Amino acid sequence: MPFNLIKKYPDLLEIAHMTEWQRGVSLRGVFDRDILNNANFQFYGKQIRPIKNDGDDSMDTLFNHLITCDEEIDNKKTGKRVFEVARAIRLHWLRHHIELANLGATNIDVFSCQERIKGRGFVIRTYIFNEEDRYVIILEPQRSGIDYYLITAYYIDKDWGLRQIESKRRNKLPVVY
């Protein structure tokens, strides 16, 4: 299981041969290294943090969100999250793309846009997007302006996902928040 800790971008993590428990331990090791125990997990000099949840461990919630997706039955969301291989095998890409964005890499598009979030009104979100790899990270600046919340990161495996990102790019704000 520790071999996933030596995987580097663009390699994918190897989890197919593992039991569910082994997979969880291996992925959690990568998450702990790259996010939980990484004091330099920052974007543009601001610390990246999980969204606080009442009564839940925020890091456990974030870990679960990064390796699962909304379950859909007959194109309707059920409210449950299920394990998604495409997200999980790219878990270590998150740190790599944050670091590339901080360095101003030309293959990474960083932009902010205002979007309507159900129950919250209009919110500014910052996107870190690698079109070639079809990988996106979504951050939300804290109201204080001191840090960012990590909303999610995922591999875009559907064409409608690319169209959605393109729509957000067309409506990008003049500055990155």
Side-chain angles (χ1 to χ4, degrees), residues 62-140:
L62 177 59
F63 171 68
N64 184 53
H65 191 79
L66 291 173
I67 63 169
T68 63
C69 65
D70 291 324
E71 179 183 55
E72 290 185 17
I73 297 176
D74 298 328
N75 291 325
K76 293 183 182 175
K77 293 181 180 179
T78 65
K80 287 178 49 181
R81 294 192 66 84
V82 293
F83 181 75
E84 183 180 26
V85 174
R87 282 183 184 222
I89 61 176
R90 292 171 176 83
L91 181 61
H92 63 301
W93 284 20
L94 177 60
R95 179 180 176 182
H96 174 79
H97 281 84
I98 293 285
E99 290 171 354
L100 281 179
N102 282 328
L103 295 172
T106 57
N107 64 329
I108 304 292
D109 189 13
V110 177
F111 63 94
S112 295
C113 65
Q114 191 173 37
E115 52 191 77
R116 186 169 175 80
I117 306 296
K118 187 177 179 180
R120 294 184 56 207
F122 285 95
V123 175
I124 293 176
R125 293 217 163 144
T126 298
Y127 288 77
I128 301 168
F129 179 54
N130 182 328
E131 188 170 3
E132 183 179 324
D133 288 334
R134 298 175 65 134
Y135 191 74
V136 66
I137 300 167
I138 305 173
L139 304 172
E140 187 175 307

Side-chain angles (χ1 to χ4, degrees), residues 20-48:
E20 185 176 343
W21 180 83
Q22 290 171 327
R23 181 180 69 204
V25 169
S26 182
L27 292 172
R28 188 59 195 231
V30 171
F31 175 84
D32 289 351
R33 179 201 63 200
D34 290 352
I35 298 171
L36 181 66
N37 300 326
N38 182 0
N40 293 318
F41 191 55
Q42 299 178 353
F43 178 64
Y44 287 3
K46 298 177 183 179
Q47 196 67 31
I48 301 173

Side-chain angles (χ1 to χ4, degrees), residues 141-158:
Q142 288 183 347
R143 276 184 255 144
S144 66
I146 297 171
D147 293 331
Y148 284 101
Y149 291 121
L150 175 56
I151 304 301
T152 194
Y154 57 92
Y155 171 69
I156 300 173
D157 57 353
K158 298 188 173 42

